[in-house]
């Protein structure tokens, strides 16, 4: 190892600070855009009906509240471990820290698995159905792991290209919507239809359930904080990047939801794993469906790439914090990528993609992260007493309070989610507890030795 190469306290090569401010903004936008809007829009419509825009608008507000907390914390503690680091500093309960970290990691993997499932669905069906969808999804995950192993610079540059491609697809949807409005096409009356199966309590839980699932489209900004050790001047660059990223994507999502409901009825949207393709076909514009399907494939690829990348960086950060076995912190000397973490999360992602479908995996992602978001919002308030020796963003106190409340509501049974989501999350947590016990035994054995 060259003497000039920076290292960690454990003697491993330090991660390379390869991400500048402009690249970070594109990274955050690309992290949020993708599978959620391209694949789960129809499932949200199935829960709420024609007022499809409402869950995305509520999700936008909830995302902004929690984003403000993440911005303050990443500015104070620019380390790769993200929510796990904040939880440990706030509560100093190692078991809680591990559970939060494991939930974040699993949310990234369930998100990547949902993206892989979306890749192998209706969008790919525009070209071929020669191979079983599950096999395609598994091969897809393995290919992304190989890209991740090459290095963060390569992965982030690939992210920039894919972000521009997926943005172009959403611009196509917006253009189709504008054309439809001016041509007098579509059914504006659908935009106010709430089809939640009842009134009163049923209406509230139906909207909350749709919002919780739709929130899957907003997850991603929290992943970006795990790139803090690979970002130039994170205390200065992260606030702008995260707020711009959430604002841009939130605005696009609400507009896309309005257009989707305007042009396609909720039942048709619900029945498709490629709902935006239905919008293109119904839009009255001669845009090739196959070209849009190709764009959508790039979009879900981007989501999966980023989530696999973030999960591996989280493993790396937890290993350095002694939450996971030190082997998770192993870095390739030449490529300077956390290779053990990458291999570990890839195996878990293959398991998830083999046993779940888009809606269940997407809702599992939302549930896990909403639980984490509640803890992060509370951590901001607890850590106000902890002073650091550099300037950083400070969010108004009311925002983390509202962020914690809204996150807990959307994570609760009030959100009317399917039982398999809780079962899947419970199994993942049991796996985490088992891993925690193994790590404790390893650390105890080392101390005795």
């Amino acid at each position: 190892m060259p003497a000039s190469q920076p290292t960690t306290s454990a003697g491993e090569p330090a991660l390379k600070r390869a991400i500048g401010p402009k690249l970070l903004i594109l990274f955050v936008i690309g992290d949020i855009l993708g599978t959620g809007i391209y694949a789960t829009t129809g499932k949200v419509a199935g829960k709420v009906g024609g007022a499809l825009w409402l869950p995305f608008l509520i999700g936008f507000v909830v995302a902004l509240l929690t984003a403000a907390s993440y911005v303050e914390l990443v500015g104070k503690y620019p380390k790769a471990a993200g929510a796990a680091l904040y939880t440990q500093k706030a509560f100093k309960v190692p078991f809680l820290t591990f559970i939060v970290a494991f939930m974040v990691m699993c949310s990234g993997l369930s998100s990547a698995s949902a993206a892989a499932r979306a890749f192998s669905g209706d969008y790919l069906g525009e070209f071929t159905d020669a191979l079983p969808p599950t096999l395609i999804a598994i091969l897809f995950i393995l290919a992304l792991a190989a890209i991740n192993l090459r290095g963060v610079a390569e992965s982030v540059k690939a992210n920039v290209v894919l972000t521009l491609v997926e943005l172009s697809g959403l611009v196509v949807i917006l253009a189709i919507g504008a054309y439809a409005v001016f041509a007098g096409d579509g059914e504006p009356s659908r935009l106010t239809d709430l089809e939640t199966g009842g009134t009163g309590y049923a209406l509230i839980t139906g909207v909350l359930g749709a919002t919780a699932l739709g929130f899957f489209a907003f997850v991603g900004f929290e992943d970006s904080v795990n790139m803090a050790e690979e970002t130039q001047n994170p205390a200065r660059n992260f606030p702008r990047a995260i707020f711009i990223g959430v604002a841009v994507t939130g605005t696009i999502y609400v507009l896309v939801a309005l257009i989707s409901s305007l042009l396609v009825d909720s039942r048709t949207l619900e029945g498709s794993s490629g709902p935006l393709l239905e919008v293109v076909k119904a839009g009255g514009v001669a845009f090739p469906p196959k070209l849009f399907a190709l764009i959508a494939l790039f979009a879900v690829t981007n989501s999966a790439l980023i989530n696999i990348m973030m999960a591996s960086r989280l493993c790396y950060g937890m290993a350095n914090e002694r939450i996971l076995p030190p082997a998770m912190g192993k870095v390739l000397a030449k490529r300077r990528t956390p290779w053990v973490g990458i291999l570990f999360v890839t195996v878990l992602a293959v398991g998830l993609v083999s046993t779940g479908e888009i809606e269940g995996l997407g809702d599992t992602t939302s549930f896990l992260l909403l639980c984490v978001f509640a803890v992060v919002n509370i951590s901001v308030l607890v850590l106000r007493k902890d002073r650091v020796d550099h300037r950083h963003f400070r969010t108004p106190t009311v925002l983390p309070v509202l962020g914690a409340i809204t996150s807990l509501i959307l994570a609760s049974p009030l959100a009317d989610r399917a039982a398999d989501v809780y079962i899947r999350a419970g199994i993942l947590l049991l796996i985490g507890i088992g891993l925690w016990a193994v790590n404790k035994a390893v650390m105890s054995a080392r101390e005795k030795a």
Side-chain angles (χ1 to χ4, degrees):
M1 182 187 309
S4 59
Q5 180 171 294
T7 61
T8 66
S9 58
E12 288 292 322
L15 299 180
K16 185 178 181 180
R17 293 195 179 273
I19 306 174
K22 294 180 180 178
L23 196 59
L24 183 62
I25 291 173
L26 281 174
F27 184 84
V28 173
I29 291 174
D31 204 353
I32 301 173
L33 289 177
T35 304
I37 195 67
Y38 276 93
T40 61
T41 301
K43 306 305 179 186
V44 176
K47 286 178 173 286
V48 78
L52 175 59
W53 55 272
L54 182 59
F56 286 102
L57 180 60
I58 298 172
F60 182 19
V61 174
V62 175
L64 278 175
L65 293 173
T66 300
S69 293
Y70 270 97
V71 165
E72 176 170 338
L73 290 170
V74 75
K76 288 180 75 171
Y77 314 109
K79 300 291 184 181
L85 175 66
Y86 313 146
T87 303
Q88 179 60 26
K89 285 185 174 294
F91 303 106
K92 295 179 172 55
V93 179
F95 182 71
L96 176 62
T97 300
F98 175 79
I99 291 299
V100 167
F102 196 77
M103 290 177 80
V104 172
M105 186 185 74
C106 289
S107 72
L109 297 180
S110 60
S111 179
S113 299
R117 278 292 185 179
F119 184 93
S120 63
D122 288 347
Y123 291 123
L124 186 62
E126 283 290 306
F127 302 97
T128 180
D129 56 1
L131 294 175
T134 300
L135 176 59
I136 293 173
I138 292 173
L139 294 175
F140 176 77
I141 291 289
L142 295 177
L144 294 182
I147 294 173
N148 198 2
L149 280 169
R150 281 194 56 81
V152 66
E154 289 78 4
S155 297
V156 173
K157 288 174 183 176
N159 166 255
V160 171
V161 174
L162 294 173
T163 295
L164 296 176
V165 171
E166 66 190 353
L167 271 172
S168 71
L170 297 177
V171 168
V172 168
I173 296 295
L174 297 180
I176 288 174
Y179 174 84
V181 169
F182 285 115
D185 296 333
E187 294 291 338
S189 62
R190 277 200 293 256
L191 301 179
T192 57
D193 287 343
L194 280 172
E195 303 170 13
T196 59
T199 58
Y201 180 79
L203 177 63
I204 293 173
T205 58
V207 172
L208 289 176
T211 301
L213 177 57
F215 196 74
F216 173 50
F218 289 96
V219 301
F221 65 84
E222 83 292 340
D223 279 342
S224 65
V225 303
N226 291 309
M227 302 302 290
E229 291 187 50
E230 295 168 275
T231 299
Q232 301 163 10
N233 198 346
R236 183 185 67 186
N237 292 329
F238 262 99
R240 183 165 174 256
I242 290 180
F243 284 132
I244 288 176
V246 174
V248 168
T249 54
T251 301
I252 291 173
Y253 284 171
V254 173
L255 291 174
V256 168
L258 283 166
I259 292 166
S260 299
S261 186
L262 179 69
L263 296 178
V264 185
D265 68 90
S266 59
R267 296 301 145 230
T268 301
L269 289 171
E270 182 184 12
S272 175
S273 61
L276 298 191
L277 188 59
E278 301 297 332
V279 177
V280 171
K281 292 177 178 179
V285 176
F287 191 89
K290 287 185 181 297
L291 177 56
F292 187 84
L294 182 62
I295 292 172
L297 292 175
F298 278 116
V300 297
T301 297
N302 197 30
S303 295
L305 172 63
I306 292 173
N307 279 287
I308 289 289
M309 188 191 309
M310 292 309 100
S312 65
R313 267 55 182 187
L314 183 55
C315 281
Y316 169 86
M318 287 192 291
N320 286 339
E321 294 291 325
R322 297 179 178 272
I323 300 172
L324 283 179
M328 291 291 183
K330 292 290 184 181
V331 175
L332 288 174
K334 183 177 180 180
R335 305 303 309 180
R336 292 168 67 182
T337 53
W339 67 274
V340 175
I342 292 171
L343 294 180
F344 176 70
V345 301
T346 299
V347 170
L348 290 184
V350 168
L352 281 172
V353 83
S354 301
T355 57
E357 299 296 335
I358 294 174
E359 182 175 357
L361 291 168
D363 209 358
T364 300
T365 302
S366 293
F367 171 72
L368 291 169
L369 281 180
L370 285 164
C371 293
V372 171
F373 286 175
V375 175
V376 169
N377 281 301
I378 295 170
S379 297
V380 171
L381 302 175
V382 174
L383 289 169
R384 286 284 168 83
K385 62 188 177 184
D386 186 28
R387 305 293 181 179
V388 294
D389 58 3
H390 61 272
R391 297 184 65 182
H392 61 86
F393 175 86
R394 180 185 172 99
T395 184
T397 301
V398 66
L399 298 187
V401 171
L402 291 175
I405 293 171
T406 53
S407 295
L408 287 171
I409 290 174
L410 290 177
S412 76
L414 285 173
D416 191 31
R417 57 175 49 86
D420 69 287
V421 173
Y422 295 109
I423 294 171
R424 184 180 295 108
I427 291 173
L428 289 171
L429 285 178
L430 287 175
I431 293 172
I433 292 171
L435 187 58
W436 165 263
V438 170
N439 184 58
K440 289 287 288 184
V442 170
M443 297 301 294
S444 177
R446 287 191 173 188
E447 289 176 1
K448 291 179 180 180

